[in-house]
């Protein structure tokens, strides 16, 4: 039986329910959705004993507040600088038992952009096309396919209290890779041939400014226009991390809810292992790109996946 667990008081900016990606529906124009920063999401779920892809809250809010309707346990990771329970600050990197009528405030004064809030057992929402993740453009998943709003009530399992409290092992907090400026690795894209060597060299030399135009669809960069020799290309498949160059010259990096096809030249693709770093960059931050080979990116991703898997199998409870 599902129970009402929390009532949102202040949802902040762009808060949604996210979980595993929605695979296999790109032919129908459906994006993958899912976690923008899967490392922070996995750590939040781990704190409360969940599986890695249990449904949780992803929020770009600098302030998020809710009250507890039924006892539950929560884990918070990502861009959160302070957690207050009934006005009292508590540890950022451990799970917390919450009681009826508790009031929780989450603050973000970090360099990161996105916080993740998990409850033991996960939030209970209807699965749509193989995932509970919210796709607001198509109105799928989450809470009626919409961003979360004040007064929304989220439900969860009655078996929502883990046996033991967990704490993030020292040095593994997701805040460790937040920075005002970021460097990410890029695999060359299919239309790289449309750019001169000078333009490509400049692309990998400049530090681009992340504009205020950021969303789960895409991040726009400014400061150093990049121009292709031609923009007359047919629409092609694109994925999260794809760097497109429109005629304006301001690169656009597609994110989790980005379109599945695009007609702009694809300069490159941000390596999947670095996409959490990119996702956590705030507006006004700067990003540099480093060229890398696909095999290098795959090796780094395998190492990243390994330490997450080891954490999930390690007995670090107390």
């Amino acid at each position: 039986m599902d129970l009402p667990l929390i009532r949102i008081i202040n949802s902040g900016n762009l808060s949604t329910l996210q979980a595993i990606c929605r695979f296999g529906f790109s032919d129908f124009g459906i994006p993958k959705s899912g976690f923008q920063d899967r490392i922070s999401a996995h750590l939040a779920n781990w704190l409360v004993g969940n599986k890695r892809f249990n449904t949780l809250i992803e929020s770009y809010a600098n302030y998020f507040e809710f009250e507890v309707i039924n006892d539950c346990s929560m884990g918070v990771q990502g861009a959160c600088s302070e957690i207050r329970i009934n006005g009292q600050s508590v540890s950022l990197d451990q799970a917390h038992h919450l009681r009826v009528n508790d009031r929780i405030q989450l603050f973000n004064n970090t360099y990161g952009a996105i916080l993740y809030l998990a409850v033991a057992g996960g939030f209970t929402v209807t699965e749509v096309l193989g995932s509970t993740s919210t796709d607001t453009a198509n109105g799928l998943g989450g809470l009626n396919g919409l961003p979360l709003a004040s007064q929304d009530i989220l439900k969860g399992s009655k078996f929502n209290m883990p046996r033991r409290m967990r704490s993030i092992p020292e040095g593994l907090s997701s805040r460790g890779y937040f920075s005002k400026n970021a460097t990410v690795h890029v695999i060359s894209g299919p239309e790289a041939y449309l750019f001169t060597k000078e333009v490509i060299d400049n692309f990998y030399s400049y530090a681009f400014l992340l504009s205020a135009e950021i969303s789960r669809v895409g991040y726009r960069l400014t400061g150093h226009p990049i121009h292709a020799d031609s923009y007359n290309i047919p629409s092609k498949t694109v994925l999260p991390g794809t760097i497109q160059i429109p005629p304006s010259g301001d690169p656009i990096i597609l994110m989790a809810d980005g379109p599945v096809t695009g007609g702009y030249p694809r300069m490159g693709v941000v390596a999947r292992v670095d996409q959490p770093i990119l996702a956590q960059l705030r507006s006004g931050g700067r990003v540099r790109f480093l060229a890398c080979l696909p095999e290098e990116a795959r090796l780094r991703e395998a190492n990243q996946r390994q330490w997450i898997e080891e954490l999930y199998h390690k007995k670090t409870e107390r």
Side-chain angles (χ1 to χ4, degrees):
M1 178 182 176
D2 296 327
L3 296 173
L5 291 186
I6 70 170
R7 177 184 292 106
I8 296 174
I9 297 172
N10 189 325
S11 61
N13 184 43
L14 191 56
S15 299
T16 56
L17 291 169
Q18 298 296 334
I20 196 168
C21 294
R22 190 168 279 112
F23 295 106
F25 297 95
S26 58
D27 288 350
F28 302 95
I30 308 263
K32 289 185 176 181
S33 299
F35 309 138
Q36 295 264 62
D37 172 4
R38 63 186 178 281
I39 303 303
S40 293
H42 291 336
L43 289 175
N45 270 324
W46 178 84
L47 274 174
V48 289
N50 291 346
K51 295 181 179 179
R52 281 181 291 176
F53 293 100
N54 275 36
T55 306
L56 46 57
I57 294 173
E58 175 187 281
S59 178
Y60 279 78
N62 288 326
Y63 178 74
F64 190 95
E65 184 177 2
F66 65 93
E67 64 178 343
V68 179
I69 300 174
N70 277 290
D71 291 3
C72 59
S73 293
M74 75 167 183
V76 177
Q77 281 291 283
C80 183
S81 58
E82 184 181 12
I83 301 171
R84 292 181 190 171
I85 300 177
N86 300 323
Q88 298 296 313
S89 292
V90 298
S91 171
L92 290 169
D93 291 327
Q94 74 175 53
H96 297 283
H97 289 322
L98 307 178
R99 305 300 179 188
V100 176
N101 297 325
D102 279 352
R103 198 136 173 164
I104 316 302
Q105 297 169 303
L106 308 178
F107 300 85
N108 178 22
N109 292 312
T110 73
Y111 284 131
I114 311 170
L115 66 84
Y116 289 87
L117 165 64
V119 295
F123 292 107
T124 303
V125 287
T126 302
E127 185 177 290
V128 180
L129 301 179
S131 173
T132 59
S133 291
T134 307
D135 169 8
T136 58
N138 294 292
L140 303 177
L143 201 62
N144 302 315
L146 298 171
L148 299 176
S150 299
Q151 302 308 313
D152 280 346
I153 293 176
L154 301 183
K155 296 181 178 181
S157 169
K158 67 177 181 179
F159 304 106
N160 56 28
M161 300 293 280
R163 294 180 181 177
R164 298 177 182 174
M165 301 296 283
R166 281 179 166 176
S167 297
I168 298 293
E170 185 176 355
L172 292 187
S173 169
S174 58
R175 294 185 304 283
Y177 56 82
F178 297 169
S179 174
K180 184 176 181 179
N181 304 310
T183 299
V184 298
H185 292 76
V186 171
I187 301 163
S188 183
E191 284 78 53
Y193 70 92
L194 291 176
F195 301 88
T196 66
K197 182 180 183 303
E198 180 182 6
V199 168
I200 292 174
D201 288 344
N202 288 338
F203 175 78
Y204 289 107
S205 299
Y206 294 148
F208 293 88
L209 184 71
L210 183 59
S211 76
E213 295 182 54
I214 68 171
S215 70
R216 284 183 51 85
V217 173
Y219 286 11
R220 184 181 291 274
L221 308 179
T222 62
H224 301 284
I226 299 293
H227 293 289
D229 289 341
S230 173
Y231 296 93
N232 186 25
I233 62 172
S235 186
K236 300 285 187 176
T237 299
V238 291
L239 302 167
T242 298
I243 304 170
Q244 292 189 299
I245 310 296
S248 69
D250 291 335
I252 299 170
I253 307 179
L254 300 182
M255 303 302 283
D257 287 350
V260 298
T261 59
Y264 298 139
R266 297 166 292 180
M267 169 68 86
V269 180
V270 175
R272 190 169 183 270
V273 65
D274 286 344
Q275 288 178 19
I277 298 173
L278 175 68
Q280 288 288 2
L281 194 64
R282 293 175 75 107
S283 294
R286 294 186 179 275
V287 59
R288 287 182 177 272
F289 300 114
L290 287 177
C292 75
L293 297 174
E295 51 267 33
E296 294 173 326
R298 284 194 291 268
L299 178 59
R300 291 181 61 232
E301 184 179 356
N303 291 335
Q304 183 187 75
R305 185 168 55 249
Q306 181 178 353
W307 76 257
I308 286 288
E309 290 176 352
E310 288 176 352
L311 177 66
Y312 265 78
H313 290 92
K314 192 175 182 180
K315 293 185 181 299
T316 56
E317 296 177 332
R318 67 179 187 180

